[in-house]
Amino acid sequence: QFAQTANEPKNNMSPVRITCDASSPAGQTVQLLCRLSNVVPTIVVSKDQNQSTPPRYEEDTTKASSSSSFEGLVPVAKALTRSLTNDDDDFVSSSSLLGTTDAEKLAIDDWLAAVNTTYSGTEFEADCEHALESLNEHLKTKSHVAANDRVTLADIVLFGMVREKVKQTMSSGQLKQKKSLVRWCKRMQSALSLGESEGAIDFSAMDVKWTALPRSESGGKAHVSTSDKPDDGGAQHPQGGSQPLDDPVAEEKRLKAIAKKEAKAAEKAAAKAARQAAAAEAGEKGGGDASAAEKEVDVSVVDIRVGKIVKAWEHPEADKLWAEEIDVGLEKPLQVCSGLREFKTLEDMTNAEVLVICNMKPNKMRGLNSEAMVLCASNEAHTKVDFVKPPSGAKIGERVTFEGFEGEPEKVLNPKKKQLDKVLPKLKTDADGVACYDGKKAMTSAGPCSSSLKDCFIK
């Protein structure tokens, strides 16, 4: 039997009595809470209680003007926490442990509810692997379960409930795959000043290195250390503890990659918002709706240029593809994959002057990068295919234009908007083989572009 009597309460707390089973996770959790401060009620932890019996909280009716009693780990834990003072030590203040913002309070309540549903009971006792793995995944991007910058009541209660299971998992060798969980357990033991006599988990036998503390949600960098030894000098706050790394250089790269990804996502979101605002403004000025601007796509968004195939070879992984390097007036040729092996020989391909869509989004075609698309005319049955060619004298790299569609092309066509799908149905050769968009000729400085195939679609 374990009993602890409080010093004189600083907050005039009514004397209370809490009874629970000493060997149960709930009983151990109650004892963890008692370690936070010497301002605690009288605790009676009885070994005679059944493990499934929840902790019971009772006021001392002989000293209190009014009495109340209730049971359950979470209500008892909250009652004990509220008994703490709000002094200069944030870690042992009730406001810090119970949450300082509405968001924190909600997160803490959610995790305390999870203690009752996921991290306790017969199912957890029988098979804790899924629950511990879920906790490990959560802690990969968190320092603590609820408030990322410090320990809360949710951490203490959850740690108390899973501590014995973590010990069992360690002995079976499964804990090596749960580095984030181990890092959190080590921090909690440091925060609660647990030693071997208080049931601390001994991680020294595990031949692994540990992951670094994730960034705080406020954006600050985490404190890390390459030492596995606890800091007894008091330089670190109890909620911190030492944080050994797998590899400091690799960890720094990982954090930079996360920051870069977040910045890129924010940039994309801002760009999308700007486009939507511009479309809405254009719709208002034009007397139409904002979606109209989005739907009006024509050939001006496509960057079609005169090019020359300077090199061609068989695609090593695709029987129907030629791979080419095409000079379109840039610093280096574009690499393109074209499905023309059935229709063009290597001699036909080499040094051919063609029209090229240069603002395609690059993509892999059977392992090779393709940065553009060669325009060809095709009959409806796709049994005949030929290049759409620029006229003799057209300059390599010059843009092909269509009268009445003189707008600037997109920097990169967006496949999600299906811009090219909206343009291609209007690209055709006329009765003379001249390439046209919606009846307007494809022009260069040397004249119109054409194909040997007449009255055919271009794609």
Side-chain angles (χ1 to χ4, degrees), residues 342-418:
E342 292 182 43
F343 310 103
K344 297 291 182 182
T345 65
L346 180 59
E347 185 179 1
D348 294 332
M349 297 292 293
T350 305
N351 294 321
E353 293 189 354
V354 293
L355 299 190
V356 183
I357 297 179
C358 297
N359 60 341
M360 300 283 291
K361 184 177 181 179
N363 68 94
K364 292 281 187 181
M365 297 185 70
R366 301 291 289 274
L368 285 185
N369 199 37
S370 185
E371 303 172 292
M373 186 173 86
V374 176
L375 285 178
C376 293
S378 170
N379 64 355
E380 190 171 352
H382 199 63
T383 55
K384 295 182 179 180
V385 176
D386 199 5
F387 295 127
V388 177
K389 298 180 179 180
S392 178
K395 298 177 182 179
I396 299 299
E398 74 168 289
R399 188 183 176 201
V400 176
T401 60
F402 299 83
E403 184 181 355
F405 301 97
E406 290 86 7
E408 286 297 313
E410 292 278 299
K411 186 175 181 179
V412 178
L413 293 173
N414 188 341
K416 292 182 179 180
K417 293 183 178 180
K418 301 187 180 299

